[in-house]
Amino acid sequence: MAVRDYIRKRFFPQIWCPGCGHGTVMGGLIRAIEQLGLDKNEVVVISGIGCSSRMPGYLDFHTMHTLHGRALAFAMGVKMGRPELTVIVPMGDGDAAAIGGNHLIHAARRNIDLTAIVMNNSIYGMTGGQFSPMTPFGDKATTAPSGTIDHAFDLVELAKGSGASFVARTTTYHTKEMISIVLKAIEHQGFSMVEIITQCPTYYGRKNKLGNAVDMMKHFKEGTVPIGSKKKAKYPQLIERGIFVEERRPEYSASYLQFLKKCQGKQSTGEN
Ligand SMILES: Cc1ncc(C[n+]2csc(CCOP(=O)(O)OP(=O)(O)O)c2C)c(N)n1
Ligand code: SF4
């Protein structure tokens, strides 16, 4: 199938600004699903609210557009009810790390088989450029005209520390790497968190004088290195990309089914 076969053309043109990275992420996700050969009926894409969260509207799978920050809670309900489905959750950095931060850490702790794709553009795009928990210290936003005094999360470390069994980071510049990482994340049986560093030229780029979308993507090229690169030792400010964690651990929806069977067995034998 071609990329257009996975798109709901009736909802085009899409809402994203020219140069926004969210479309590149959507293209990467479609290519990963296509390469995996998944049937459209097997895939559910669930989002909250935000520019990034508009994605399910354009994708021709089973989709849900829910509440800001709560996508993982809805996704967990779907996965528990229909564990055979592949559930993918596109999120913004505000959606995932601010209002939805609690859902993120607990989904990771439980190791439920969901794929969280966090589009980190370092800002709240949809609501006009407020700073998010991923805005770097000192950077500007509409709510921090002189620079934020908050320190940003390292989303990879947060997911690792919370128990996610697949944790990765890539950028919208590194599209081939993005497709291969998203594909592995979907294949992985357990909670996967993929941070994709992406550009919001309209707010974060403009407020911080980072140039246009191409300039911002050049920055992703120059400011990141593959995990284990020697350059990182010399220039510690470089951000690492790649797969940080890939481990097999008991998956939550499967453990729950096993637990149910065990309880039902006890009931039929009259055990407590
Ligand atoms: C409960 C609730 N609080 C706040 C909002 C307003 N709101 C909508 S989207 C958004 C932030 C979006 O930023 P992010 O999640 O980073 O995604 P982006 O738009 O940058 O892709 C906010 C605060 C809302 N819709 N619901
Ligand atoms: S405001 Fe930013 S995040 Fe939202 S569509 Fe425009 S460029 Fe993308």
Side-chain angles (χ1 to χ4, degrees):
M1 290 212 285
V3 166
R4 64 177 175 279
D5 297 324
Y6 292 90
I7 281 173
R8 290 176 180 149
K9 291 178 219 61
R10 66 187 184 280
F11 292 127
F12 273 62
Q14 37 79 8
I15 61 151
W16 296 317
C17 306
C20 177
H22 295 339
T24 307
V25 177
M26 184 167 87
L29 173 62
I30 290 173
R31 285 171 179 85
I33 291 174
E34 200 257 334
Q35 284 179 29
L36 282 167
L38 292 172
D39 188 281
K40 281 192 198 178
N41 252 338
E42 299 169 349
V43 179
V44 191
V45 185
I46 302 178
S47 74
I49 301 292
C51 297
S52 39
S53 291
R54 294 290 297 180
M55 195 178 288
Y58 306 126
L59 290 171
D60 196 22
F61 302 108
H62 297 291
T63 58
M64 288 172 80
H65 190 205
T66 69
L67 301 171
H68 185 45
R70 309 292 174 221
L72 283 170
F74 284 87
M76 191 157 168
V78 170
K79 188 71 191 176
M80 293 302 280
R82 295 286 304 274
E84 74 281 10
L85 297 176
T86 297
V87 185
I88 300 168
V89 190
M91 291 188 282
D93 50 301
D95 201 43
I99 191 168
N102 208 19
H103 297 294
L104 181 74
I105 59 174
H106 292 289
R109 175 174 69 87
R110 290 176 172 136
N111 195 33
I112 183 158
D113 187 16
L114 304 173
T115 304
I117 298 176
V118 184
M119 283 160 265
N120 175 13
N121 57 13
S122 309
I123 206 111
Y124 286 181
M126 178 163 268
T127 41
Q130 297 87 351
F131 64 87
S132 88
M134 300 302 299
T135 308
F137 179 85
D139 281 6
K140 291 183 181 157
T142 48
T143 44
S146 307
T148 174
I149 56 164
D150 288 16
H151 294 272
F153 278 129
D154 179 328
L155 215 50
V156 162
E157 291 301 323
L158 185 70
K160 274 166 72 178
S162 308
S165 55
F166 185 103
V167 180
R169 179 191 286 128
T170 184
T171 86
T172 49
Y173 175 82
H174 302 90
T175 46
K176 279 192 178 163
E177 177 186 270
M178 180 204 299
I179 297 167
S180 125
I181 286 180
V182 170
L183 187 151
K184 286 182 185 151
I186 295 172
E187 267 187 325
H188 179 76
Q189 286 175 11
F191 188 75
S192 310
M193 196 290 295
V194 182
E195 176 186 0
I196 304 183
I197 300 174
T198 180
Q199 68 279 10
C200 169
T202 303
Y203 290 112
Y204 183 68
R206 191 160 50 87
K207 286 276 162 206
N208 291 287
K209 299 193 171 34
L210 298 174
N212 61 24
V214 177
D215 299 323
M216 293 179 81
M217 287 166 84
K218 274 190 195 153
H219 182 67
F220 301 159
K221 179 187 175 203
E222 285 150 15
T224 66
V225 282
I227 296 170
S229 160
K230 284 184 188 151
K231 253 174 126 182
K232 171 83 180 164
K234 199 167 171 198
Y235 305 102
Q237 74 279 14
L238 289 171
I239 296 170
E240 287 186 303
R241 310 185 318 270
I243 298 172
F244 296 84
V245 179
E246 191 172 14
E247 289 172 6
R248 269 192 87 86
R249 286 203 223 124
E251 191 277 323
Y252 193 72
S253 61
S255 301
Y256 181 68
L257 283 179
Q258 271 177 6
F259 175 73
L260 275 188
K261 275 190 192 147
K262 201 172 133 189
C263 295
Q264 282 159 355
K266 276 186 183 166
Q267 257 182 6
S268 61
T269 57
E271 273 181 63
N272 283 321

